[in-house]
Amino acid sequence: MKNLFVKIAAAGVLMLAPAIAQAAEGYSTANVNMRAGPSTRYPAVAVIPAGSSVEIRGCLSDVNWCDVEFYGGRGWVSGQYVQALYQQRRVYVGPQYYRPLGIPMIRFSVDNYWDRYYRNRDFYRERDRWSRGPDYYYRDRDNRDRDRDRDNRDRDRDGRDRDRDWRDDNQRGDRQRDDLQRGDRQRGDRQGDDRRGDDRRPDRRDFDCRPGDPSCDE
């Protein structure tokens, strides 16, 4: 009977062990950004001052990034900036220490993680783009920036073309007005000459004198 109780107690300890080993205490070794994902390309959500205590909730198995809790906020920090106490000494958190420190190995999903912790953040609106990874997000953003710059250049070029067309039209209009004015002046001058010719008194030299005409004696 005694052995039965011992076995039940041991089984209970084993069942509780995973629940107990859900976090480990760590310390930041520098002023480090806590980010929205396991990469320096994810948005920063807070700055953890050097020497601050953090709760390590889990780490990735393939890259040295850990999900930490700091003053009630959650985010990701590179293991090279986090130390933990192991056998009376501080060690940088790495895969070889996950199991001894009781740090679970976890996975990261933008959808689940951001839904849980970042719904009130501005970058949450672009969650669908971020969910494909930071490389895709920045590549997509760079493409959008290039498209916007190209559209701006096209609009600027169209504006310059319209300005040039407008100037050309004005210049043609000015030339046409000048030509019309010159033509009007020339026609006016000719008409004036004609009128002056009509008003001019006839010179007697314009006529042939006939013998016996008294006007020839003047």
Side-chain angles (χ1 to χ4, degrees), residues 87-101:
Q87 294 182 351
Q88 305 304 315
R89 62 189 180 92
R90 289 188 178 184
V91 296
Y92 282 97
V93 174
Q96 69 273 28
Y97 296 111
Y98 292 171
R99 188 179 184 88
L101 293 171

Side-chain angles (χ1 to χ4, degrees), residues 7-161:
K7 290 180 181 179
I8 293 174
V13 170
L14 291 175
M15 291 178 64
L16 290 175
I20 294 173
Q22 290 299 309
E25 186 176 9
Y27 305 89
S28 62
T29 60
N31 294 333
V32 61
N33 284 319
M34 185 168 68
R35 296 188 175 272
S39 169
T40 56
R41 308 196 77 183
Y42 281 104
V45 297
V47 176
I48 303 176
S52 299
S53 176
V54 297
E55 290 291 324
I56 306 171
R57 295 295 180 180
C59 298
L60 300 177
S61 60
D62 51 345
V63 291
N64 191 17
W65 280 80
C66 296
D67 174 21
V68 304
E69 181 176 353
F70 176 68
Y71 276 96
R74 291 287 287 272
W76 291 81
V77 177
S78 172
Q80 62 181 339
Y81 295 109
V82 179
Q83 288 183 333
L85 190 63
Y86 175 69
Q87 294 182 351
Q88 305 304 315
R89 62 189 180 92
R90 289 188 178 184
V91 296
Y92 282 97
V93 174
Q96 69 273 28
Y97 296 111
Y98 292 171
R99 188 179 184 88
L101 293 171
I103 299 173
M105 285 188 290
I106 59 176
R107 295 181 179 180
F108 171 70
S109 168
V110 166
D111 293 335
N112 294 334
Y113 199 86
W114 286 25
D115 281 345
R116 187 177 301 174
Y117 301 115
Y118 300 137
R119 284 183 175 272
N120 62 336
R121 297 281 185 157
D122 291 339
F123 55 78
Y124 182 82
R125 292 175 296 183
E126 296 190 284
R127 182 191 60 172
D128 291 340
R129 287 194 175 95
W130 281 106
S131 64
R132 302 181 186 182
D135 292 337
Y136 174 86
Y137 172 80
Y138 281 103
R139 183 169 61 250
D140 183 52
R141 190 187 67 174
D142 292 342
N143 290 336
R144 282 179 286 159
D145 290 343
R146 282 195 296 271
D147 292 341
R148 186 176 61 251
D149 292 340
R150 185 172 60 251
D151 291 341
N152 290 336
R153 288 194 299 271
D154 291 342
R155 282 195 294 271
D156 292 341
R157 185 170 59 250
D158 291 341
R160 289 193 298 271
D161 291 341

